[in-house]
Amino acid sequence: MRDLKLVRGLTQQAEVVFAVVMRETRTRFGASQLGYLWALIEPTLVIFTFYLVFKVAHRAVPPGMDLFSFIATGVVPYTLFASSVTRVAAAIDSNKALLYYPQVQPLDLVLARAVLEAATFVAVFIFLLGGHALFTQRLELESPLTVVMGLAMASMLGTTLGLILCCLGEYSTAVERARGPMLRPLFWISGIFFTAEALPEGARAALLWNPLLHATELVRSGWFRSYDQHHVDVAYVAAWIGGLALTGLMLERTVRSRIEMS
Amino acid sequence: MLDDLSLTIPARRGLGIIGRNGAGKSTLLRIIGGAEQPTVGDVVRKGRVSWPLGFAGGFNGSLTGEENCRFVARIYGLQYDHVIDKTREFAEIGDYFFMPVRTYSSGMRARVAFGLSMAIDFDMYLVDEITSVGDKLFRKKCRAAFAERRERAGLIMVSHEPATLVDYCDSCALLDAGKLWVYDSVAEAMAAYEEKVPA
């Protein structure tokens, strides 16, 4: 009896999350002429910008990697993370009206956005790196599972952090304003422009405190046959995710009544 | 706001709720519907309970009427084709049904919202101060559809209009200072209300 109830509850939540994902897909991409293509175009432009900068500055990439793939494998996990934070942080505010339907709970909105971001950036990754492989007639992809794990880490770090910001945002609008400046340093220290392997030892030890660097490292080592990472600590990242998730879920419980009242 | 309140509402019962502004009628309705959680206590629902009727705030302006209906059908785990067709037929807004909701007049929004709540078979309808919308003909249609539905489904209605309550409810509750008194007829509840709140 209890089991049935649990199954029914899970089915209903899955239905709700799916409905919100479909709806968000329409509201997010459906409005413009190019629609879903925008999701692909945006990160592509970012990557091409860096591509040009690297070319002009004659920056060298690690041996065995081509410039385009090197940048793409860094930009995608970072953007997935940053975009998850931003989208999840606004998840409840922008869909508050949906909470009027009793089966829609705040966490469903959060989950739906996380799922949509993850799906979008997996598509972006396949589009960019698959496209590049087709173009150059050379596919790297040493270990798909390692790539997926790296992207999953970036997604979960972003979602859990976004959840915390989302809840704190219910208390103060300062949170929203602080978000940008807070995240910006991560852009420079998350391995978009370097690999952990290539860093001097002191800097490496310091930068490895950043869990997002581990995600980037995993994606790169899973993608490039020539790159093996020796510094990723999955348990360390899992601890971050667990801690952030726990904090976020606790905060969600305390602000739940606030959300519903307004 | 509500204090130690316990209430069992039988299926197919039509219960009216009256009380002064700010007494907590809408809050009670939202708690019954599940849009809000009580600080203490539980709500046990048997069957499908509607959202407070006439509410169109859950519609997203950039989506079409059709897409909004699809979303609601999905979260209730229903076949959306069926729900969409029924809503479209009922609302009678023509091709606007396939246009973004933000282009609708408030009357058109209300038509779709009401049509949608009729397209889903609820066992219990929650009605919060339904303000009559649309032209005379449409109002008549709503009344007829609702009366027909009332034969199979229960109703909890918040209203300030005794006439409306008498039409739909066979019992009535008075909410005052966090306590709820249930009476067997709307007239009795109204009498008690007059007594408590000197005009």
Side-chain angles (χ1 to χ4, degrees):
Chain A
M1 193 61 207
R2 259 209 115 73
D3 288 349
L4 259 178
K5 219 171 163 181
L6 182 70
V7 171
R8 218 179 318 133
L10 282 177
T11 327
Q12 181 167 61
Q13 186 168 29
E15 273 167 5
V16 170
V17 171
F18 175 70
V20 180
V21 168
M22 295 309 284
R23 185 186 165 115
E24 290 259 302
T25 313
R26 284 290 291 129
T27 46
R28 184 155 176 216
F29 305 119
S32 75
Q33 292 281 315
L34 286 172
Y36 301 94
L37 275 181
W38 262 122
L40 302 179
I41 294 170
E42 248 181 78
T44 312
L45 285 179
V46 175
I47 288 165
F48 272 109
T49 315
F50 285 116
Y51 184 80
L52 288 180
V53 170
F54 265 63
K55 271 268 184 239
V56 171
H58 293 295
R59 283 271 318 252
V61 291
M65 299 188 190
D66 65 279
L67 179 54
F68 181 86
S69 306
F70 171 72
I71 297 173
T73 47
V75 168
V76 171
Y78 173 81
T79 322
L80 167 58
F81 165 81
S83 179
S84 295
V85 174
T86 315
R87 300 285 299 168
V88 167
I92 293 176
D93 246 5
S94 40
N95 278 317
K96 232 170 206 174
L98 297 187
L99 296 175
Y100 219 85
Y101 299 110
Q103 58 274 69
V104 183
Q105 295 298 323
L107 275 181
D108 297 329
L109 304 177
V110 166
L111 221 56
R113 285 211 159 170
V115 167
L116 185 56
E117 284 322 297
T120 304
F121 280 93
V122 167
V124 166
F125 191 90
I126 293 171
F127 170 75
L128 288 174
L129 288 143
H132 182 259
L134 272 180
F135 189 71
T136 57
Q137 293 290 309
R138 189 168 170 249
L139 178 67
E140 293 269 355
L141 193 55
E142 186 182 67
S143 158
L145 274 180
T146 313
V147 174
V148 168
M149 184 143 115
L151 291 177
M153 276 178 177
S155 161
M156 286 192 275
L157 283 169
T159 303
T160 47
L161 181 60
L163 176 63
I164 292 176
L165 295 180
C166 180
C167 296
L168 291 177
E170 292 294 320
Y171 288 106
S172 161
T173 51
V175 176
E176 205 195 319
R177 258 172 250 143
R179 191 180 62 222
M182 232 174 57
L183 292 180
R184 209 154 298 146
L186 281 175
F187 182 79
W188 302 105
I189 59 169
S190 299
I192 300 181
F193 309 105
F194 56 85
T195 62
E197 209 55 50
L199 290 172
E201 206 159 319
R204 185 195 302 148
L207 287 180
L208 277 172
W209 286 99
N210 169 13
L212 199 53
L213 178 56
H214 294 250
T216 316
E217 284 290 296
L218 269 185
V219 172
R220 285 213 173 111
S221 70
W223 183 257
F224 294 106
R225 276 189 230 124
S226 58
Y227 186 63
D228 292 316
Q229 55 78 21
H230 306 284
H231 308 286
V232 173
D233 186 345
V234 176
Y236 173 71
V237 183
W240 262 100
I241 294 170
L244 289 170
L246 207 64
T247 316
L249 290 172
M250 274 188 329
L251 280 169
E252 194 267 338
R253 291 232 60 123
T254 63
V255 297
R256 196 179 275 182
S257 56
R258 275 177 87 99
I259 295 169
E260 281 157 354
M261 286 307 282
S262 44
Chain B
M1 184 149 249
L2 305 168
D3 178 21
D4 193 14
L5 192 152
S6 179
L7 176 69
T8 308
I9 303 162
R12 284 197 280 283
R13 170 66 64 88
L15 176 73
I17 299 176
I18 56 174
R20 64 178 102 194
N21 289 337
K25 303 186 293 290
S26 301
T27 306
L28 177 59
L29 214 56
R30 294 228 297 264
I31 288 176
I32 293 172
E36 208 166 299
Q37 300 298 320
T39 323
V40 182
D42 290 300
V43 182
V44 180
R45 299 174 203 91
K46 304 247 160 90
R48 198 179 275 148
V49 180
S50 83
W51 63 85
L53 229 71
F55 169 74
F59 284 171
N60 183 310
S62 58
L63 296 182
T64 67
E66 185 195 16
E67 287 165 338
N68 274 297
C69 292
R70 185 176 300 143
F71 170 77
V72 174
R74 270 191 182 131
I75 61 174
Y76 280 93
L78 298 169
Q79 284 290 326
Y80 54 78
D81 295 343
H82 181 67
V83 173
I84 288 171
D85 287 344
K86 275 178 101 170
T87 311
R88 188 170 49 81
E89 272 166 40
F90 193 94
E92 290 177 340
I93 57 168
D95 286 342
Y96 269 107
F97 193 65
F98 306 105
M99 306 258 287
V101 168
R102 87 174 98 76
T103 63
Y104 291 16
S105 69
S106 58
M108 284 155 66
R109 265 177 104 101
R111 275 167 176 257
V112 176
F114 191 84
L116 181 57
S117 58
M118 286 294 125
I120 299 173
D121 267 307
F122 288 113
D123 300 305
M124 176 69 80
Y125 280 86
L126 307 179
V127 182
D128 192 351
E129 200 83 61
I130 198 154
T131 40
S132 15
V133 284
D135 47 42
K136 222 177 196 169
L137 210 66
F138 186 71
R139 281 213 292 268
K140 214 169 135 194
K141 190 175 171 183
C142 288
R143 239 193 318 266
F146 202 60
E148 185 255 333
R149 187 56 53 87
R150 256 302 270 128
E151 286 168 16
R152 293 179 269 148
L155 165 78
I156 303 174
M157 178 184 260
V158 166
S159 180
H160 284 292
E161 297 215 15
T164 323
L165 288 172
V166 171
D167 276 353
Y168 293 108
C169 304
D170 37 44
S171 55
C172 190
L174 168 62
L175 185 62
D176 190 62
K179 300 280 183 198
L180 193 74
W181 287 273
V182 184
Y183 299 91
D184 282 331
S185 75
V186 177
E188 278 175 67
M190 285 309 291
Y193 181 54
E194 303 285 319
E195 212 172 281
K196 279 214 163 27
V197 187

